[in-house]
Amino acid sequence: MPGTPAPVDHVGSGPPTYDPEPTALPPADPDDLDDLVADTVLDGASYGTCTLRAVSVRGDSARYRGEPRRDSLLTARFGTGDGALVLVAMATGARATPDAHRAAAEACQWIGRAVGRSHARLAEDIRAARRGDLKSGLHRLTDRSLGKLRASAAEQGVEPEEYTASLRCLLLPADPECRTRVFFGVGTGGLFRLRDGEWQDIEPRVADTAGEPVVGFGSPPHETPDGDRLTMDLNIATPPSPYEPAPEPPPRAPFRFRASVARPGDALLLCSSGFAEPLRGEPRLVEHLTARWSEGSPPGLAAFLADSTVRVKGYADDRTAAAVWEA
């Protein structure tokens, strides 16, 4: 594209410590080859007025150490014609746990099944702008999907925090008359919009997503049903009482939701923490992507891969990103 800068390997104060290409492969079990995770996954599609590009890449640190990619990516279309619904789901397994890649893959599979089975109703709610129904319905689907991860952890005999994942999703209706884009999920990462040459950080704040209490979400009440004020928790361990039930597990990260209307020329970017952190921490990466993505047609798959893997010193985690360009 005329005036578009060429791709670069890195930006910032200097080149990262690690090699720019994969070095060590993760160890393989000959009896469990389905457990292997590819270094890079790349996908794309065009529906309605939007063009999708999605990528998940093993981080420099994992490439050097021969560890599997902890990030997982799922792109799926449910339904046909203008009634179809495209789902992009990405998950990141817990750091320093041996089965992080499995937990991330399971999280994507469970939410994919849940959305796929409800896609007709979800697509209808998106077209009809039923924000409240969408938010509560997607909250339930997300809670159930992550609940299955906890059940899987129990079956394996591991602690829930060792077999869990952050989960971030994007719903894109195929109907060209509908420009509503829906984000939902649990956990850290980024949601950005490039509009008129300026980046906007539109990640929903926790306060924006507060609603009625849901089991496992939110803070405990400030008083009992009888009006008694609860004292501050000083994290002092107390012996279990035979007259009281076991304590509830700590609350999980809050559910996040945003439904926004896209404009022609917008670029919406959903990403895992491995890409969100350098975007928030290195202005030159933002400047480079602005110049690359602000004008002309959406990048092809190879160009999007190059743009998404521009390295920044000090950031070596897996990167997963999905970008949507609006015609």
Side-chain angles (χ1 to χ4, degrees):
M1 292 180 287
T4 302
V8 297
D9 171 70
H10 68 272
V11 295
S13 60
T17 304
Y18 297 104
D19 292 333
E21 298 295 338
T23 51
L25 289 170
D29 181 347
D31 296 320
D32 193 14
L33 295 180
D34 290 340
D35 189 50
L36 292 179
V37 182
D39 177 90
T40 301
V41 174
L42 187 63
D43 208 351
S46 293
Y47 286 97
T49 60
C50 66
T51 298
L52 169 68
R53 299 287 181 259
V55 66
S56 186
V57 181
R58 191 164 51 135
D60 288 348
S61 176
R63 284 175 164 180
Y64 175 77
R65 301 176 191 280
E67 298 171 349
R69 175 167 46 90
R70 291 188 299 124
D71 279 6
S72 185
L73 173 68
L74 171 71
T75 52
R77 172 180 60 87
F78 302 107
T80 59
D82 290 350
L85 188 64
V86 175
L87 166 70
V88 181
M90 57 185 68
T92 302
R95 190 183 297 276
T97 57
D99 294 325
H101 60 294
R102 297 188 185 98
E106 273 200 32
C108 287
Q109 292 165 6
W110 284 119
I111 197 64
R113 291 171 185 169
V115 169
R117 291 165 180 162
S118 304
H119 78 272
R121 173 62 185 274
L122 290 170
E124 179 183 340
D125 285 345
I126 293 174
R127 288 194 297 269
R130 301 187 188 109
R131 187 181 184 278
D133 291 345
L134 278 169
K135 183 176 178 180
S136 60
L138 291 171
H139 194 162
R140 287 193 297 271
L141 296 184
T142 302
D143 196 30
R144 291 172 187 169
S145 298
L146 295 180
K148 292 181 183 295
L149 275 188
R150 295 192 298 276
S152 184
E155 292 174 358
Q156 299 175 51
V158 299
E159 295 298 322
E161 60 269 19
E162 296 180 8
Y163 197 79
T164 188
S166 64
L167 178 63
R168 306 173 65 79
C169 304
L170 197 60
L171 293 178
L172 308 170
D175 186 350
E177 299 299 319
C178 180
R179 286 188 176 269
T180 302
R181 311 297 178 232
V182 177
F183 158 76
F184 68 96
V186 170
T188 57
L191 182 67
F192 306 92
R193 180 170 58 206
L194 179 58
R195 174 174 286 176
D196 299 328
E198 297 288 338
W199 282 98
Q200 303 167 355
D201 190 334
I202 60 173
E203 174 78 9
R205 295 175 299 172
V206 173
D208 294 337
T209 60
E212 291 300 315
V214 177
V215 174
F217 287 85
S219 300
H222 295 294
E223 59 182 34
T224 68
D226 295 329
D228 296 325
R229 300 292 293 181
L230 299 181
T231 59
M232 183 181 297
D233 181 6
L234 299 178
N235 294 319
I236 300 174
T238 56
S241 168
Y243 305 105
E244 297 178 358
E248 292 291 328
R252 299 192 304 277
F255 177 75
R256 298 177 187 267
F257 172 91
R258 181 179 292 277
S260 59
V261 178
R263 299 179 187 173
D266 282 356
L268 182 67
L269 175 65
L270 174 68
C271 55
S272 65
S273 292
F275 198 29
E277 289 177 2
L279 277 171
R280 293 185 174 120
E282 178 49 69
R284 278 170 284 190
L285 177 60
V286 175
E287 294 169 2
H288 179 71
L289 293 182
T290 301
R292 292 277 299 169
W293 292 356
S294 287
E295 299 179 2
S297 302
L301 290 179
F304 181 69
L305 173 61
D307 293 339
S308 303
T309 53
V310 174
R311 301 187 306 147
V312 181
K313 190 172 184 177
Y315 300 95
D317 282 345
D318 297 348
R319 288 187 181 184
T320 301
V324 180
W325 280 264
E326 301 289 341

